[in-house]
Amino acid sequence: MSPRVFGRPGVRPEGPELLPVFPPEYTAAAVLRTTPFHRRTEALCEAGNWRRWSGFLAASSYELHHDREYWAIRNSAGLIDVSPLHKYRIQGVDAERLLDRLVTRNVAKCAIHQVLYTPWCDEAGKVMDDGTLCRLADDVFRLTSALPNLRWLLDNARGLNVQIEDVSDALAALALQGPNARAILTEAAGGVADDLGYFRLTEGAIGGAPVQITRTGYTGDLGYEIWTEPQHALTLWDALMAAGRAHRVVPAGLLALDVARVEAGLILIEVDYVPSHQAVIEARKSSPYEIGMGWTVKLDKPGFVGRDALMAERARGPEWEFKGLEVSWDAMESLYGAVGLPPQLPSEGWRTSVPVYAGNRQVGYATSGCWSPLLKKYIALAHLQTPHSATGTHLSMEITVEHHRKKAAARVVEPQFFNPDRKRSNPGRADRS
Amino acid sequence: MSAHACDAIVIGGGHNGLVTAAYLARAGKKVIVFEKRHVLGGAAVTEEIYPGFKYSVCSYVVSLLRPEIIRELDLPRHGLRILPLESTFTPLPNDDYLVRWADHDQTRRELYRHSPRDADAYDDFGRLMYQLAVAVKPILAMIPPDPTSMSPKDLLGFLKLGKHFRGLGHAQFHALHKLMTMSSADLLDEWFETEALKATMSASGIIGTLLGPRSPGTAYVLLHHYMGEIDGAMRAWGFAKGGTGAVSESIAAAAREHGAEIRTEAGVSEVIVRHGRAVGVALESGDEYRAPVVVSALDPKRTFLSLVAEQHLPGDFVRDIKRFRIRGSSGKVNLSLGELPDFTAKPGVGPLHQGAISISPSFDYLERAYDDAKYGEFSTRPFMDVIIPSMIDPEMAPPGKHVMSIFVQYAPSDLRGGWDEAKREAFGDAVVDTLAQYAPNLPGAILHRQVLSPWDIERSMGLTAGNIFHGELSLQQLFCMRPAVGWADYTTPLDGYFQAGSGTHPGGGVTGASGRLAAMKILGGKL
Amino acid sequence: MSAGFDTVVIGGGHNGLVTAAYLAKAGQGVLVVERRELLGGAATTEEIFPGYRVDTGAHRLGGLSAQVVADLGLTGHGLEVLAADPTVFTPVGNGIPLTLWRDPRETAESIRRISRPDAEAWVPFTELVGKAASFLQAAWTTTPPDVTGSDLGDLLAGAKLGLKLRGLGRKDMAEVMRILPMSIYELLDEWFESDLVRGTVAASAIGGLCQGPMSGGTVYTFLHHHVGAGAGVIRPTERVRGGVGQLSEAIASACRQYGAEVRTGAPVERILVDDGAAKGVVIAGGEEVRAERVVSSADPRRTFVHLLPPDAIGPDFARKIDHVRFRGVCAKVHLGLAGLPDFTCLPGAGPHLEGVISISPSLEYLERAYDPVKYGAISDAPYLELSIPSLADPGVAPAGKHLASIVMQYAPFSLRDGAWDEAARNSIGDLVVRTLARYAPNIEAVVEGRHVMTPLDLQERFGLTEGNIYHGEMTLDQLLFMRPVPGAARYRAPVKGLYLCGAGTHPGGGVTGMPGLNAARGILKD
């Protein structure tokens, strides 16, 4: 019996120095997984610009430049494949007890079909991950997260009557984001989401595919996330694209999303903060107070993981704050002007750590930044030491001008650079979130 | 009889001896290396046993060759090329399998298939090991201080160590303690539920020991697999182009460039001692060579009990060396193949053939293999670590043909009734028969077979009891106790006589670390 | 709801009682609640057969703290310790058996008939054991330091002082450090050639342990059992007149004298936790007993998993508790005997029957006894430690009769095939008698009554998780600041007001009273 070559037939050229050619097991398609929408996204991704996202192939941009995709999010609608999110279904009489022990927000107060955005912490009160938690029924929840959390969930569930199921592969998800999102859904889903409140869930059908729709997203704009079983994924995609055509829907990749989320001041795990269980050293860990999530910490809730440490931290006050920085246009013009250039602006969001100074002293570092095409501002999200983090404080951020490091004047602002009313409001209804 | 003079003599042209020689030569010393065999490398050799088929006879992977040696001796310029091993494939008796790939996501996906919880735990485990590797690294890179000494230097060494460990966080300190004291099976049971994953990970903890995965003391070695990453030597497990002998050849080339002289077929019969001092060596040919520094890269038993007459050494020290445990536990089978093995668990030829193949389906399997050995039998169903060098470097075999390197455990050196040719071949049969359980076409594909029992390894490579690490890597034989308390700093009770083999700290594997630290000691602390 | 106490102690085992006695002596209002009608936990004596007073758990003391005996005046409460000499008799099928005496020179003479080199090595070997054990003893009597905290200096200073006091040089210390992680096989291989000597010494290293003598770390276990053993004594054998339960009764009597209340037949259902602090216990039936603090002498798994609500401890700590290894491997067999066993190698009665009788003909025999347990099966040829307390203390058996108490290893708590049912229980009894009959063929004829306890029975009767007689394996990774787990190794649990005092804490198992004493000291310091 002689071995068969599996996969794509390989060609073994003559000559001893060449190895047999194997099927592409090391290619991205073999190493990574593809989402249930891949047949559509692959056909549309003319840039061939893919990246990793939680072990999946994800489009960075569909076109060679993400510009049009970004503008769709702000001006019409972008359709983003967010299937790689981790999703867990938590069910049982102790489901609420488990989640209330796990996350910082008060799950007991979460109504059925309400969605909570929340971080969760380790025992030292340092953030491990953040995501959304949706109550599907009295004792059924769905948790979405950026990182795998199964082991942590199971560890916290010791002794509790609860079933935890990783449903990541059982749910495909699309984000439909932008001012025209509601109109598209009205057409596609027959109006079930017309009155859907901010951070609420409803159920319905799109193109015959049963779906759950949540009024959530990562753009800071009017938007929805639509969840369906993988076998309905292509139907859902096609129906949304068809309904969206008149509303100028554009498939959008992660580069466009990144600019939108920086404008919205939304923090990104592994970029703006290090999840505590991945931090090699203590200094890399952050509490919710230090990364703008203090509002989610309900210290009056008994016995959640990290509570003692967070009580102590609140009592002494956090050492860091996560804020927005607006880099002064005048400063940019003058720094670049000195070398005979107009300001050179980053067309993509950047994700390196950039020092922030008060005078000559470094008082923080920016972790994400971009040129906001909408606001016409150079903006960044930054960790600032508390005496220097008050809104309105004048600091400076390092920029590299023609190979030389310079400091550009910047002002501390609230991180939501762009926060339109349409994000939360419903026409003709009071905001009920 | 003539006496020739030089600055330093190195006994043994294995990779550690060559490393020492290269560093001494680099520092301007006139160095001669004497190697008994016709090839350099000791246990790190490539030999063409059958025409066209090149075997890395003993050591078969470049496990953690110290990056500073590659850097400082400029080994790539001297021909070193390391080809990465991309995967570890564990075929299972039920025709399932487990693969760990070089790519994190790919590995996670495979682990998830076996256990979603283990997929999470694997990353957490890796991070903890990384942190601990950072903590342990300074120890591996230092000349061990002497715990019985009151000299300020030794006390300072321990003080530094104490301070270092106090600087660890609670969690890390406790994890390190567990690692030092637990069995690899117990430790891995705390993290994972997939038997094939646990068993394959634990296998690294039993290599070169006569212990099973359930025996305490086997967890520590798990850490070594994560050491590479902190030195920027990602994917540290690799195969040297041209076989492991090419590593030795590149070090030898570096040594020669710095002026070292290297003689093969020049076995040393004894170290010449005058007035309590090593002053040179006598060769088997009768020639004598004089040097103020004599370095032995042989194992401690040979270094002290064979090369030096007992009366030149203190009684306590001789006792310590005599009780230094050096049982052999592994054998090696090298095959020439007409075709590649076809694994029923994953039929066909693929990249898996370019990685390591581990026969380690479960703890029970490994433990039963050990049960045989502890009562003096070779394992009838042994643990095996297999690679197919010709799939990584086609020049290792004629076109269309292959060589297969099989590291086998357990094969105890003190086999009940002793080793002989018949038992060696029976051992070879057990190996082939076991592999055939997973790849039924293998027996029919064999063109040539070389079987090395510990007995053969001792006879041909000069490793006492065939122990590949020059002494078992058990806790009581590490760091300042390797090979004996008070003599772990590469010096010996005999002035002018130094040790540089794998039987000194940190020992084990083709790392070159012992040879480098020995050179550092000889040169007064600076290379 | 009962009136409040200063302290409620869960479990009336010997350690719980020791802690209670010290606290009561210091003036605290103390209540001890014991699940069974009988005090003593695994240090108890029960009338299993009419007229026989059987030590159903421990049948030997294990370095009982002289300080505890003195502080609590236990002799005045009726405690009488009987030290056997010889300590151990190891029969052989044919040939010369081995007897260990309290005097090492006498033992050396016994060995001389088996091996001259081993006889020469014996006294120096006992000296090494003595040095190493004294090194451990220094650590026994203190609360384990917080190694990563600022106390490390104290630890080192303390250890150095200990060494100095005991005349250990740095060379000795290095030798102790060298041997600690070794297997007892490796150590004995350096010292002795005789199978009988190796087997007999090695047996002391594997008691209660799911490891064989070839496993790393067993030298430590061996040394643990020799702390406080007395100079030159290997495998000390000490019993209590009237049964080991008399020790527990004596401590309970001391408790009552100091004003503590001791309640039996009061199983604790759970520990009351209010706002993150232990506030008392709930007794089965619903009775709440309030106290300032709760001290648990139950093992860590019972305390943290069964007695506390699941969210009282954090997930990291819970994970550590999950990882504590128990894996009981001992069964106990009690025999009512019409006559004494007659050993073919040394026929008739004699002093050799007064210590323990060790079925350990070689180290390999012990290792082979261990092998099956790795795969969830019972030893084919088990290690046995047999004690005939009725020789030195005739009151524990009817006139003219004898009692044999046997610890059998290895019987895994988790059987891979089958369960610990009546048939399996009987098979243990048969196996033990059959094994003994190889050395003393009359045994089958003299057995009048037989009582078998499997690891499951030990769990059910004594509340020992997985039947582990030491409240958790005594291995290097579960000792000192690791016992039971980091974060609770200084007798303080991570729940405010909750303390531990059982064998699951430092220095560990055996009838020593040390955990109880150290815990009481820690509590009084708070």
Side-chain angles (χ1 to χ4, degrees):
Chain A
M1 168 171 127
S2 88
R4 299 170 298 283
V5 172
F6 53 75
R8 200 190 311 167
V11 182
R12 185 177 167 146
E14 290 304 308
E17 69 281 2
L18 287 167
L19 288 168
V21 174
F22 291 122
E25 290 219 6
Y26 302 132
T27 61
V31 170
L32 301 178
R33 308 173 62 197
T34 54
T35 78
F37 301 105
H38 189 70
R39 276 172 57 196
R40 296 292 181 270
T41 54
E42 185 184 33
L44 291 163
C45 186
E46 65 180 56
N49 187 4
W50 301 91
R51 69 167 75 170
R52 278 175 201 256
W53 179 9
S54 293
F56 285 85
L57 273 177
S60 291
S61 68
Y62 287 86
E63 299 179 8
L64 288 168
H65 197 276
H66 63 275
D67 186 52
R68 223 170 61 85
E69 297 162 35
Y70 163 78
W71 283 113
I73 291 171
R74 289 292 178 235
N75 290 339
S76 54
L79 187 64
I80 307 152
D81 179 1
V82 293
S83 303
L85 286 170
H86 294 272
K87 300 149 222 132
Y88 301 96
R89 183 184 166 90
I90 295 133
Q91 178 167 13
V93 292
D94 285 335
E96 181 186 300
R97 187 172 170 195
L98 165 65
L99 291 164
D100 246 337
R101 168 180 164 78
L102 192 81
V103 306
T104 56
R105 287 191 72 185
N106 196 329
V107 181
K109 287 187 182 166
C110 180
I112 292 175
H113 284 188
Q114 187 181 349
V115 183
L116 299 180
Y117 167 76
T118 183
W120 48 98
C121 297
D122 63 17
E123 287 190 58
K126 305 297 184 182
V127 180
M128 299 178 69
D129 201 346
D130 63 295
T132 58
L133 177 61
C134 179
R135 186 171 216 144
L136 300 173
D138 200 33
D139 60 355
V140 184
F141 293 83
R142 181 167 66 230
L143 182 71
T144 65
S145 62
L147 301 176
N149 277 279
L150 183 66
R151 185 165 179 251
W152 184 242
L153 282 164
L154 291 169
D155 280 351
N156 278 280
R158 276 183 177 82
L160 299 180
N161 184 358
V162 60
Q163 293 88 48
I164 296 160
E165 193 189 346
D166 183 346
V167 293
S168 303
D169 290 349
L171 277 180
L174 289 175
L176 181 64
Q177 304 279 309
N180 295 353
R182 183 183 287 110
I184 295 169
L185 275 189
T186 302
E187 228 166 276
V192 296
D194 284 3
D195 292 332
L196 187 62
Y198 190 55
F199 272 81
R200 299 283 157 164
L201 175 143
T202 187
E203 290 171 345
I206 294 179
V211 295
Q212 289 177 330
I213 302 168
T214 53
R215 177 116 176 239
T216 49
Y218 198 53
T219 59
D221 216 304
L222 172 65
Y224 302 86
E225 286 168 313
I226 303 143
W227 314 78
T228 193
E229 293 174 5
Q231 69 269 26
H232 302 302
L234 298 181
T235 311
L236 172 64
W237 177 279
D238 294 343
L240 286 173
M241 289 297 284
R245 190 163 299 127
H247 302 281
R248 285 168 290 129
V249 71
V250 172
L254 299 180
L255 286 172
L257 183 64
D258 203 33
V259 174
R261 71 98 193 164
V262 173
E263 289 174 340
L266 295 170
I267 196 164
L268 180 56
I269 192 167
E270 291 180 306
V271 171
D272 296 313
Y273 75 97
V274 181
S276 69
H277 57 297
Q278 290 187 10
V280 175
I281 51 173
E282 283 300 311
R284 286 188 180 169
K285 300 179 182 177
S286 302
S287 78
Y289 297 113
E290 292 171 334
I291 54 175
M293 295 185 189
W295 65 275
T296 69
V297 181
K298 307 300 177 193
L299 288 177
D300 50 348
K301 183 177 82 164
F304 63 91
V305 178
R307 178 172 175 255
D308 292 351
L310 291 172
M311 296 258 279
E313 180 171 342
R314 202 186 54 167
R316 60 173 189 268
E319 290 172 24
W320 293 86
E321 271 197 285
F322 190 68
K323 296 298 276 274
L325 282 181
E326 272 184 25
V327 180
S328 152
W329 179 256
D330 292 345
M332 300 273 289
E333 272 196 322
S334 106
L335 287 168
Y336 278 97
V339 297
L341 286 171
Q344 307 289 300
L345 301 167
S347 68
E348 289 181 10
W350 48 257
R351 300 175 162 195
T352 45
S353 179
V354 173
V356 176
Y357 297 90
N360 283 324
R361 210 180 119 221
Q362 187 175 350
V363 296
Y365 54 98
T367 46
S368 293
C370 66
W371 170 252
S372 168
L374 179 76
L375 304 171
K376 306 300 176 204
K377 288 176 183 167
Y378 186 19
I379 58 177
L381 295 169
H383 297 262
L384 302 173
Q385 282 169 356
T386 35
H388 306 281
S389 59
T391 299
T393 307
H394 290 279
L395 302 172
S396 60
M397 188 176 88
E398 184 178 291
I399 60 169
T400 302
V401 178
E402 277 307 278
H403 326 296
H404 291 273
R405 291 176 179 183
K406 304 287 179 192
K407 289 173 188 162
R411 196 167 57 92
V412 178
V413 296
E414 291 304 314
Q416 291 94 341
F417 301 96
F418 179 62
N419 191 11
D421 280 348
R422 62 178 184 254
K423 177 177 87 176
R424 316 167 64 99
S425 68
N426 273 341
R429 279 188 62 129
D431 175 13
R432 59 174 193 185
S433 66
Chain B
M1 192 193 286
S2 60
H4 314 265
C6 59
D7 295 330
I9 291 167
V10 176
I11 306 168
H15 83 282
N16 273 313
L18 292 170
V19 165
T20 304
Y23 278 104
L24 294 180
R26 197 179 73 141
K29 307 284 180 198
K30 185 167 162 17
V31 183
I32 306 183
V33 180
F34 294 112
E35 165 57 39
K36 188 184 187 116
R37 301 191 66 212
H38 62 287
V39 281
L40 287 174
V45 289
T46 306
E47 294 184 62
E48 190 167 325
I49 305 283
Y50 303 101
F53 295 96
K54 293 175 191 156
Y55 294 164
S56 289
V57 178
C58 278
S59 175
Y60 55 101
V61 284
V62 185
S63 51
L64 313 173
L65 179 63
R66 299 299 309 153
E68 58 266 30
I69 294 176
I70 298 176
R71 195 161 53 228
E72 290 161 359
L73 298 182
D74 208 2
L75 296 184
R77 191 163 58 79
H78 294 290
L80 180 69
R81 279 164 72 184
I82 304 223
L83 312 171
L85 285 169
E86 293 285 350
S87 59
T88 303
F89 168 60
T90 308
L92 301 176
N94 64 359
D95 280 352
D96 195 356
Y97 60 87
L98 177 96
V99 198
R100 285 185 292 150
W101 299 94
D103 184 86
H104 168 265
D105 284 333
Q106 198 174 11
T107 301
R108 179 176 162 83
R109 180 178 172 183
E110 168 71 355
L111 295 178
Y112 192 95
R113 187 171 73 80
H114 291 269
S115 159
R117 192 180 203 286
D118 282 5
D120 282 13
Y122 191 72
D123 288 348
D124 289 339
F125 183 78
R127 280 188 286 267
L128 179 66
M129 290 296 128
Y130 175 84
Q131 288 176 320
L132 297 181
V134 172
V136 165
K137 201 205 152 197
I139 298 179
L140 294 187
M142 79 191 282
I143 296 172
D146 176 3
T148 64
S149 155
M150 285 300 210
S151 87
K153 207 173 150 200
D154 287 308
L155 289 177
L156 197 71
F158 277 103
L159 207 68
K160 269 191 191 157
L161 269 185
K163 213 171 161 190
H164 175 68
F165 281 107
R166 282 177 65 188
L168 298 179
H170 274 83
Q172 284 179 41
F173 180 86
H174 295 134
L176 189 60
H177 177 90
K178 289 177 80 140
L179 216 57
M180 300 295 286
T181 52
M182 285 178 80
S183 77
S184 54
D186 288 338
L187 185 82
L188 292 165
D189 272 339
E190 290 188 356
W191 287 86
F192 306 108
E193 56 193 18
T194 307
E195 271 291 316
L197 174 65
K198 289 188 287 188
T200 305
M201 289 177 83
S202 80
S204 59
I206 58 172
I207 286 179
T209 73
L210 197 55
L211 292 172
R214 295 194 187 283
S215 181
T218 52
Y220 171 70
V221 185
L222 292 172
L223 188 55
H224 280 256
H225 284 241
Y226 294 85
M227 289 316 291
E229 299 191 11
I230 58 175
D231 296 311
M234 285 286 281
R235 293 208 199 166
W237 292 85
F239 179 84
K241 176 148 181 63
T244 311
V247 177
S248 309
E249 290 299 339
S250 70
I251 302 167
R256 286 196 194 99
E257 187 186 65
H258 289 298
E261 187 182 338
I262 300 170
R263 306 257 185 97
T264 53
E265 295 179 273
V268 171
S269 60
E270 74 166 305
V271 172
I272 302 166
V273 179
R274 293 284 179 273
H275 312 295
R277 209 192 138 78
V279 297
V281 299
L283 300 190
E284 284 163 355
S285 65
D287 287 357
E288 289 191 3
Y289 287 79
R290 298 286 170 138
V293 169
V294 178
V295 187
S296 169
L298 310 188
D299 67 58
K301 303 266 183 194
R302 286 178 190 245
T303 298
F304 298 111
L305 306 178
S306 306
L307 292 178
V308 179
E310 197 170 315
Q311 77 264 16
H312 297 309
L313 297 168
D316 276 6
F317 178 74
V318 170
R319 182 205 62 201
D320 286 352
I321 295 299
K322 280 185 174 163
R323 70 185 184 186
F324 184 71
R325 300 200 76 89
I326 192 166
R327 295 168 296 178
S329 59
S330 49
K332 186 79 197 295
V333 175
N334 297 307
L335 301 177
S336 305
L337 299 177
E339 66 177 20
L340 287 168
D342 194 14
F343 290 92
T344 51
K346 191 151 173 57
V349 177
L352 294 175
H353 288 83
Q354 290 182 314
I357 298 154
S358 182
I359 305 300
S360 50
S362 66
F363 280 147
D364 278 4
Y365 179 93
L366 299 178
E367 197 65 34
R368 285 187 200 277
Y370 166 59
D371 286 349
D372 288 336
K374 67 185 176 184
Y375 306 119
E377 307 294 340
F378 60 76
S379 312
T380 49
R381 285 284 176 259
F383 157 65
M384 287 181 264
D385 190 29
V386 181
I387 63 167
I388 305 171
S390 51
M391 286 294 286
I392 309 163
D393 175 3
E395 289 170 16
M396 299 297 283
K401 308 270 197 294
H402 291 281
V403 289
M404 180 185 255
S405 154
I406 310 166
F407 173 86
V408 194
Q409 210 162 306
Y410 300 80
S413 48
D414 47 352
L415 195 72
R416 206 156 274 194
W419 283 96
D420 56 32
E421 253 116 77
K423 280 182 183 153
R424 175 179 66 205
E425 293 314 312
F427 169 62
D429 292 345
V431 167
V432 171
D433 183 60
T434 304
L435 269 182
Q437 309 272 313
Y438 301 92
N441 73 324
L442 184 78
I446 297 172
L447 305 174
H448 308 288
R449 175 172 106 173
Q450 180 194 32
V451 183
L452 293 163
S453 70
W455 174 61
D456 302 298
I457 294 171
E458 169 151 25
R459 284 189 315 170
S460 59
M461 308 288 167
L463 295 169
T464 298
N467 183 297
I468 57 172
F469 291 153
H470 288 200
E472 294 163 44
L473 286 178
S474 44
L475 274 185
Q476 69 272 16
Q477 300 198 154
L478 292 180
F479 195 50
C480 58
M481 297 191 250
R482 191 170 185 87
V485 169
W487 304 103
D489 64 348
Y490 312 96
T491 65
T492 73
L494 213 53
D495 283 348
Y497 194 34
F498 295 86
Q499 35 180 349
S502 193
T504 60
H505 170 78
V510 185
T511 72
S514 294
R516 182 175 177 274
L517 286 170
M520 190 187 280
K521 180 73 185 182
I522 293 163
L523 294 171
K526 265 197 179 152
L527 289 170
Chain C
M1 162 133 32
S2 304
F5 288 87
D6 293 323
T7 299
V8 57
V9 176
I10 302 171
H14 86 283
N15 277 314
L17 291 169
V18 165
T19 301
Y22 274 97
L23 296 184
K25 189 180 176 186
Q28 289 195 5
V30 180
L31 171 70
V32 180
V33 283
E34 165 58 38
R35 181 175 60 101
R36 301 186 70 195
E37 295 296 341
L38 199 70
L39 286 172
T44 197
T45 303
E46 304 179 59
E47 193 164 323
I48 295 285
F49 325 108
Y52 287 93
R53 296 187 48 75
V54 180
D55 289 350
T56 43
H59 64 200
R60 275 191 294 114
L61 299 177
L64 177 63
S65 161
Q67 190 189 343
V68 169
V69 174
D71 286 351
L72 302 180
L74 296 183
T75 314
H77 289 283
L79 174 70
E80 188 186 345
V81 174
L82 306 169
D85 195 16
T87 59
V88 181
F89 167 64
T90 307
V92 290
N94 283 302
I96 305 162
L98 173 66
T99 310
L100 304 187
W101 302 82
R102 292 185 65 84
D103 180 349
R105 279 169 296 275
E106 210 175 337
T107 305
E109 286 317 304
S110 161
I111 295 171
R112 199 171 299 280
R113 297 168 58 210
I114 302 164
S115 157
R116 292 190 67 85
D118 287 3
E120 297 305 320
W122 185 259
V123 173
F125 175 72
T126 63
E127 283 165 3
L128 171 68
V129 173
K131 281 177 188 166
S134 71
F135 177 72
L136 293 189
Q137 189 158 28
W140 268 42
T141 46
T142 55
T143 298
D146 176 3
V147 245
T148 48
S150 52
D151 285 358
L152 182 65
D154 301 349
L155 167 72
L156 288 177
K160 272 182 200 149
L161 187 70
L163 291 170
K164 236 180 205 163
L165 286 175
R166 287 169 177 81
L168 282 192
R170 291 172 69 87
K171 268 222 147 82
D172 289 330
M173 184 187 79
E175 179 64 1
V176 171
M177 296 312 291
R178 185 184 76 90
I179 68 172
L180 271 181
M182 284 167 72
S183 73
I184 191 75
Y185 159 71
E186 289 170 328
L187 179 66
L188 296 177
D189 199 38
E190 292 178 359
W191 285 89
F192 303 112
E193 58 174 28
S194 148
D195 278 344
L196 205 53
V197 173
R198 290 181 185 216
T200 301
V201 176
S204 181
I206 56 167
L209 189 66
C210 189
Q211 295 285 356
M214 289 182 168
S215 298
T218 41
V219 166
Y220 172 81
T221 337
F222 171 76
L223 294 173
H224 179 89
H225 295 301
H226 288 83
V227 171
V233 183
I234 299 296
R235 295 187 65 180
T237 299
E238 292 178 342
R239 304 188 185 90
V240 176
R241 183 174 299 286
V244 73
Q246 289 308 305
L247 166 68
S248 304
E249 288 300 338
I251 309 168
S253 167
C255 279
R256 293 193 192 95
Q257 186 201 329
Y258 296 129
E261 192 181 323
V262 180
R263 273 175 66 181
T264 56
V268 171
E269 208 159 65
R270 61 193 165 87
I271 297 168
L272 276 171
V273 178
D274 195 3
D275 198 21
K279 294 284 161 69
V281 298
V282 179
I283 311 282
E287 182 193 348
E288 285 191 4
V289 179
R290 295 262 161 186
E292 293 282 305
R293 71 188 65 77
V294 176
V295 184
S296 173
S297 70
D299 72 43
R301 184 72 57 76
R302 301 239 138 207
T303 304
F304 292 109
V305 178
H306 298 294
L307 296 179
L308 279 178
D311 30 21
I313 51 171
D316 292 338
F317 188 81
R319 193 184 274 169
K320 290 184 207 159
I321 293 295
D322 263 12
H323 291 164
V324 174
R325 274 173 287 106
F326 290 88
R327 303 193 293 200
V329 289
C330 296
K332 273 212 80 187
V333 176
H334 307 113
L335 303 174
L337 301 177
L340 288 168
D342 195 17
F343 287 90
T344 44
C345 62
L346 190 58
H352 63 284
L353 301 180
E354 288 185 19
V356 293
I357 297 157
S358 177
I359 303 300
S360 50
S362 70
L363 196 143
E364 186 176 316
Y365 176 92
L366 301 176
E367 185 71 19
R368 286 191 188 274
Y370 161 60
D371 287 341
V373 86
K374 293 190 288 192
Y375 314 108
I378 301 163
S379 307
D380 303 319
Y383 161 60
L384 304 180
E385 180 188 287
L386 178 146
S387 166
I388 309 175
S390 49
L391 277 168
D393 183 10
V396 298
K401 311 273 189 190
H402 284 283
L403 166 66
S405 167
I406 302 151
V407 177
M408 175 275 190
Q409 258 179 253
Y410 296 78
F413 176 81
S414 302
L415 281 176
R416 195 170 289 181
D417 297 313
W420 282 116
D421 52 16
E422 192 57 33
R425 188 180 291 118
N426 279 328
S427 76
I428 292 284
D430 294 345
L431 174 64
V432 164
V433 172
R434 198 166 63 236
T435 305
L436 281 175
R438 281 203 225 125
Y439 302 89
N442 75 324
I443 190 82
E444 276 159 325
V446 297
V447 171
E448 291 188 330
R450 191 174 93 178
H451 173 249
V452 180
M453 285 199 296
T454 67
L456 183 64
D457 295 330
L458 292 173
Q459 172 173 284
E460 298 307 310
R461 184 181 291 246
F462 300 121
L464 298 167
T465 297
E466 295 183 14
N468 184 295
I469 57 174
Y470 295 144
H471 288 207
E473 280 188 355
M474 300 286 299
T475 47
L476 285 171
D477 60 305
Q478 299 195 150
L479 291 170
L480 285 167
F481 49 86
M482 303 292 284
R483 192 165 184 87
V485 295
R490 292 158 71 82
Y491 308 99
R492 243 174 260 118
V495 178
K496 207 166 157 265
L498 179 63
Y499 294 82
L500 305 174
C501 71
T505 62
H506 171 78
V511 185
T512 68
M514 291 304 305
L517 166 61
N518 288 346
R521 197 188 289 129
I523 292 163
L524 290 171
K525 213 187 267 175
D526 277 4

